[in-house]
Amino acid sequence: MENIVFPQGFLWGAATAAFQVEGATDVDGRTDSIWDEFCRQPGKVVGGDCGEPAADHYRRFEQDVAMMADLGLKAYRFSIAWPRVRPDGGKVNQAGLDFYQRLIDSLLAHDIAPWPTLYHWDLPQKLEETGGWANRDTAFRFADYAAATVEALGDRVETWTTMNEPWCSAFLGYAGGIHAPGRTEPAAAVAAVHHLLLAHGLAADTIRAAQPDAKVGITLNMYPIIPVDPGNPADLDVARRLDGLQQRIFLDPLLRGEYPADIVADLEPFGFSEHVHDGDLEVISAPMDMLGVNYYTEHYVSSTPNGESGPSPWVGVQHASFPARDAPITDMGWEVRPDGLTAVLMRVHQDYPRLPLYITENGAAFRDDFSGTGAIDDVDRTGFIASHLRAAHAAIEAGVDLRGYFCWSLLDNFEWAEGYAKRFGIVHVDYDTQIRTPKMSARWYSRVARDNALVAVS
């Protein structure tokens, strides 16, 4: 494989999320999030796992930061735990803020840029008990949390992400019941969509008021939606609906100041429009400085029923199935489709107002191969990242303003409803001893970051 050089100044980093890595779930004033409660519900998380101890990042962050520096990474995308900073959604907890101050200070001391995300799915459980994201007031409580966080940390942070993957929060959490809080209420899910976006806009305004020079954005998970039979009107309609729910219901209000009319009509039976108040879209569509794109796979969709019943995250879609194609799959069962990354980057570039893009998550779960020497030769994961970096570079060559890449994930961690059964990390974590072991993918990615080039896998 010939070397491919990335633009000068391209940002190389790795990403984690608070509930997935921190552990210390009842330490220094932190209270329950919706994920703590979800983990207690039998059958919701594989193995009955929970966020304790995760990767014990709360206590071991200095070691992890030093390891990132050794790997040559220049940015760390992490999330801040709302239940640490404002436990139960209430008063500010200085001990929680102090942890993030120590983390950021350590990153800066190692010449690593902190890229905090304010919300990566850990809503305080007390706010869920008053309606969660289905309650409009939660958006304003989020703005209060953002204000306290930026006041404490903003002097050391240049780039803020408000939300991570609001699609998952709304549709997996409130319609499909697959993620916390585990509700299966389509009307609550569509309300959550709007309130999450409103929270983003309110928080963005709050950040800019406190820190005018800050860069502010949001991260969306994006996937091409491909109809099985483009000549079948039913398949085309299902693809349209899924694309609207996955992509356009977020991109359009953020970047065009309006919701897509066809999806608004689709969601009218669930009361979507009643949640959109005068002035909301102006708040949501305030100019952003960057957009984060999380990419893992494509969706290949048919209108043929799949024979399954029960709650679905695809609100208003009666029949949808996802036939398998002839492609490699990850340990999550997701098809490896690097060309889809080029496609989603090109789509944002061509269809929406131009702004800098960053790949804020991309990676894969595979079963790690332990050799007799103790090395972890994760050839599949290394190849996955390499193929997707090639796809990202293709987008750059086509004119996309792509400025950085964060691999998911720095560490093996708590993988939400999959518990500890799936490993995405480029660094192996032994959950019994908390020993960290960089995998082949970490050693290779370190070379990529240092050379600013896609180097041959060896």
Side-chain angles (χ1 to χ4, degrees):
M1 180 178 69
E2 66 181 74
N3 290 3
I4 292 177
V5 178
F6 282 78
Q8 186 175 5
F10 195 81
L11 188 64
W12 297 99
T16 66
F19 193 75
Q20 293 183 269
V21 298
E22 285 181 358
T25 53
D26 60 356
V27 169
D28 292 338
R30 182 193 180 278
T31 54
D32 278 355
S33 74
I34 53 175
W35 272 95
D36 295 280
E37 178 59 29
F38 188 74
C39 290
R40 297 186 187 111
Q41 299 174 26
K44 292 294 188 181
V45 176
V46 170
D49 293 335
C50 66
E52 188 67 44
D56 199 29
H57 186 60
Y58 190 83
R59 297 181 179 89
R60 300 171 188 266
F61 73 89
E62 290 277 15
Q63 173 188 353
D64 294 336
V65 171
M67 183 171 56
M68 281 187 273
D70 287 344
L71 292 173
L73 303 185
K74 289 302 181 183
Y76 177 42
R77 179 177 176 254
F78 61 95
S79 76
I80 294 170
W82 190 348
R84 288 199 195 281
V85 173
R86 297 192 82 131
D88 295 334
K91 294 192 299 184
V92 173
N93 174 36
Q94 188 59 46
L97 283 171
D98 287 346
F99 165 68
Y100 296 106
Q101 289 175 331
R102 294 192 299 272
L103 172 60
I104 290 170
D105 286 346
S106 180
L107 290 166
L108 293 174
H110 287 84
D111 195 27
I112 299 171
W115 271 58
T117 297
L118 287 170
Y119 188 70
H120 200 130
W121 308 351
D122 47 1
L123 179 72
Q125 175 61 21
K126 287 290 186 184
L127 292 182
E128 175 57 32
E129 291 168 6
T130 63
W133 287 111
N135 180 354
R136 182 179 175 89
D137 185 64
T138 301
F140 294 90
R141 303 291 71 75
F142 181 73
D144 294 340
Y145 153 62
T149 305
V150 173
E151 180 182 1
L153 307 177
D155 61 330
R156 284 156 286 180
V157 173
E158 294 182 1
T159 305
W160 293 93
T161 303
T162 56
M163 296 266 168
N164 180 78
E165 298 184 354
W167 182 88
C168 294
S169 295
F171 291 116
L172 294 183
Y174 288 84
I178 300 164
H179 280 188
R183 290 164 64 175
T184 54
E185 306 164 35
V190 302
V193 167
H194 181 67
H195 297 151
L196 284 156
L197 287 169
L198 179 61
H200 153 78
L202 293 168
D205 286 347
T206 298
I207 294 167
R208 287 199 173 94
Q211 193 182 346
D213 294 335
K215 295 184 173 120
V216 184
I218 192 171
T219 284
L220 305 178
N221 52 323
M222 296 182 61
Y223 311 107
I225 311 290
I226 302 168
V228 169
D229 181 1
N232 180 346
D235 281 8
L236 286 174
D237 188 61
V238 168
R240 175 194 65 79
R241 288 172 178 266
L242 266 60
D243 179 71
L245 295 172
Q246 180 77 61
Q247 265 95 225
R248 290 184 289 124
I249 200 170
F250 300 104
L251 286 168
D252 283 22
L254 287 164
L255 300 177
R256 292 178 177 163
E258 61 186 11
Y259 283 108
D262 62 316
I263 302 305
V264 171
D266 291 343
L267 296 181
E268 209 49 45
F270 306 97
F272 179 72
S273 293
E274 68 188 53
H275 301 292
V276 184
H277 295 189
D278 288 346
D280 284 0
L281 284 163
E282 287 77 6
V283 173
I284 292 168
S285 62
M288 293 192 294
D289 302 292
M290 61 89 179
L291 176 68
V293 175
N294 293 355
Y295 176 81
Y296 292 96
T297 191
E298 295 177 342
H299 289 326
Y300 188 57
V301 62
S302 168
S303 58
T304 303
N306 61 9
E308 297 178 2
S309 59
S312 167
W314 303 109
V315 173
V317 180
Q318 277 196 312
H319 299 301
S321 57
F322 301 86
R325 293 175 288 178
D326 183 16
I329 60 171
T330 70
D331 200 29
M332 295 291 288
W334 300 341
E335 292 184 358
V336 178
R337 295 286 179 179
D339 288 351
L341 175 57
T342 310
V344 296
L345 294 171
M346 290 299 299
R347 179 182 186 178
V348 176
H349 174 73
Q350 292 171 344
D351 293 355
Y352 291 92
R354 303 285 171 82
L355 77 169
L357 304 180
Y358 291 83
I359 298 168
T360 38
E361 286 184 26
N362 177 246
F366 289 106
R367 297 184 183 276
D368 289 331
D369 176 22
F370 289 81
S371 71
T373 64
I376 303 168
D377 294 329
D378 56 337
V379 176
D380 288 340
R381 183 177 294 105
T382 306
F384 181 99
I385 296 173
S387 66
H388 285 74
L389 287 177
R390 185 174 289 276
H393 191 271
I396 293 171
E397 295 222 303
V400 174
D401 185 9
L402 180 66
R403 300 191 182 183
Y405 177 94
F406 293 78
C407 71
W408 184 270
S409 172
L410 175 68
L411 302 168
D412 288 336
N413 54 47
F414 175 83
E415 186 47 44
W416 307 114
E418 297 293 337
Y420 297 103
K422 310 295 183 186
R423 291 181 178 267
F424 276 85
I426 60 171
V427 174
H428 179 270
V429 176
D430 182 318
Y431 297 118
D432 293 328
T433 65
Q434 291 296 333
I435 291 174
R436 276 88 159 119
T437 305
K439 306 174 188 179
M440 172 186 175
S441 57
R443 300 191 302 272
W444 173 81
Y445 186 58
S446 175
R447 287 181 56 210
V448 171
R450 292 181 192 279
D451 293 351
N452 196 40
L454 181 58
V455 298
V457 177
S458 59

